[in-house]
């Protein structure tokens, strides 16, 4: 399981940001190879001193992307977008965690809002998947977030609290400290609407407070909390300046290597 959440760049215990590109159902394996090569060219080796980077291609691209990352010695972590909770079996069309681990996958997204909304994944399912990812020695990126209706009904915090409690049930403090939580307000995903940095910070701070109350100070201080929802090069610097936002789960903008590289290099554009 990857556990690179701490950097000595600032205060002791500071969390090293993780910028993750979720390609969703885009790019065949030829396009994936080109995208990774262009991204590697757009980033300077020193950029990785400040930020951890992961890319999450479709399953059909994983082997091709893995080969490029290893052959060119690109310090980008390979990630997956989903996984089944069983290690093997008669589950036609599904992918088991050990299969991903054999491809050197380090991060696996579980509970993305599209999986919850379109495929009916519950907190219990997300919890099973997170535990399966951990058992295969990979790191889950556990997604939580509210709908527009829930936010307008003043139910955003209670919704996210319930998702955190259910999705992380049964995990120890040490394990929670090493995973990644992604806050992605559903109303801001793929809509072009982004939560304001203030709103994103409030919810990420709420998530950290919840982790602190249930898993203790060490877990709360170490766990990385990403923001996801129409993140672009233009808004990344202000989002990433927030004290409880430790990275970004990037959708559409991650398909453009230059735009994604600008997000990775958000520090260069911060005032």
């Amino acid at each position: 399981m990857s556990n690179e959440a701490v950097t000595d760049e600032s205060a002791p215990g500071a969390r090293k940001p993780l910028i993750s590109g979720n390609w969703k159902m885009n790019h065949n394996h030829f396009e994936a190879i080109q995208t990774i090569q262009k991204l590697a060219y757009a980033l300077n080796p020193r950029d990785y001193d400040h930020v951890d980077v992961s890319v999450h291609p479709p399953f059909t691209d994983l082997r091709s992307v893995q080969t490029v990352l290893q052959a060119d010695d690109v310090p980008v972590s390979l990630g997956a977008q989903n996984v089944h909770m069983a290690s093997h079996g008669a589950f036609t069309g599904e992918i088991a965690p050990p299969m991903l681990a054999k491809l050197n996958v380090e991060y696996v997204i579980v509970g993305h809002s599209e999986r919850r909304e379109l495929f009916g994944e519950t907190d219990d399912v997300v919890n099973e998947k997170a535990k399966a990812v951990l058992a295969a020695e990979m790191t889950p990126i556990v997604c939580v977030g509210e709908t527009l209706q829930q936010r307008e009904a003043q139910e955003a915090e209670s919704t996210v609290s319930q998702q955190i409690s259910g999705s992380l049930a049964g995990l120890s403090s040490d394990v929670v400290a090493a995973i990644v939580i992604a806050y992605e307000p559903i109303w801001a995903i793929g809509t072009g609407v982004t939560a304001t940095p203030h709103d994103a910070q409030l919810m990420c701070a709420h998530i950290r407070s919840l982790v602190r109350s249930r898993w203790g100070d060490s877990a709360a201080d170490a766990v990385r909390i990403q923001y996801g929802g129409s993140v672009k090069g233009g808004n990344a610097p202000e989002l990433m300046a927030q004290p409880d936002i430790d990275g970004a789960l990037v959708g559409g903008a991650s398909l453009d290597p230059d735009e994604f590289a600008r997000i990775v290099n958000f520090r260069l554009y911060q005032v």
Side-chain angles (χ1 to χ4, degrees):
M1 180 175 61
S2 175
N3 186 12
E4 301 177 353
V6 176
T7 176
D8 60 3
E9 205 171 47
S10 54
R15 297 174 296 273
K16 188 176 183 181
L18 172 64
I19 306 295
S20 302
N22 177 16
W23 294 2
K24 305 189 180 183
M25 199 172 69
N26 295 287
H27 288 339
N28 60 45
H29 72 286
F30 293 115
E31 295 167 332
I33 290 171
Q34 293 174 343
T35 299
I36 286 298
Q37 290 173 332
K38 291 177 181 178
L39 178 63
Y41 182 78
L43 291 173
N44 185 296
R46 294 189 62 184
D47 296 336
Y48 304 102
D49 295 338
H50 308 289
V51 181
D52 288 334
V53 181
S54 67
V55 292
H56 301 250
F59 288 133
T60 55
D61 299 350
L62 285 174
R63 176 57 175 158
S64 298
V65 172
Q66 178 210 17
T67 300
V68 174
L69 293 177
Q70 290 183 337
D72 295 345
D73 197 24
V74 181
V76 168
S77 297
L78 184 60
Q81 300 177 18
N82 186 32
V83 72
H84 194 271
M85 62 280 288
S87 62
H88 64 279
F91 302 102
T92 300
E94 295 294 329
I95 305 295
M99 296 175 181
L100 298 178
K102 282 291 185 181
L103 289 172
N104 294 334
V105 167
E106 295 184 50
Y107 295 96
V108 183
I109 300 170
V110 295
H112 190 279
S113 63
E114 290 158 0
R115 300 298 310 176
R116 292 178 184 264
E117 293 289 300
L118 301 178
F119 300 96
E121 292 191 3
T122 64
D123 292 332
D124 289 341
V125 169
V126 176
N127 181 245
E128 286 188 66
K129 289 187 175 186
K131 289 176 177 176
V133 169
L134 290 162
E137 300 186 335
M138 299 178 292
T139 300
I141 298 178
V142 180
C143 299
V144 298
E146 80 282 2
T147 65
L148 180 60
Q149 292 77 11
Q150 289 165 333
R151 172 165 282 269
E152 290 178 340
Q154 307 299 312
E155 297 172 353
E157 286 194 358
S158 62
T159 297
V160 170
S161 295
Q162 180 179 338
Q163 290 173 339
I164 290 287
S165 298
S167 299
L168 305 186
L171 300 184
S172 69
S173 296
D174 288 346
V175 169
V176 171
I179 69 169
V180 180
I181 300 172
Y183 168 58
E184 40 163 25
I186 295 172
W187 46 270
I189 297 174
T191 62
V193 178
T194 310
T196 67
H198 176 69
D199 285 342
Q201 162 59 22
L202 286 178
M203 186 61 79
C204 290
H206 171 70
I207 292 171
R208 198 174 306 282
S209 176
L210 184 63
V211 171
R212 191 176 305 281
S213 67
R214 301 196 180 186
W215 288 278
D217 289 341
S218 295
D221 292 340
V223 67
R224 290 192 280 190
I225 303 174
Q226 295 177 317
Y227 168 77
S230 298
V231 178
K232 299 178 177 63
N235 58 32
E238 193 173 0
L239 285 165
M240 293 300 300
Q242 306 307 309
D244 288 294
I245 297 179
D246 309 312
L249 183 57
V250 185
S254 68
L255 300 174
D256 180 337
D258 291 327
E259 181 72 4
F260 189 56
R262 187 179 179 194
I263 295 171
V264 170
N265 281 320
F266 65 87
R267 276 180 171 77
L268 301 179
Y269 305 96
Q270 285 180 330
V271 177

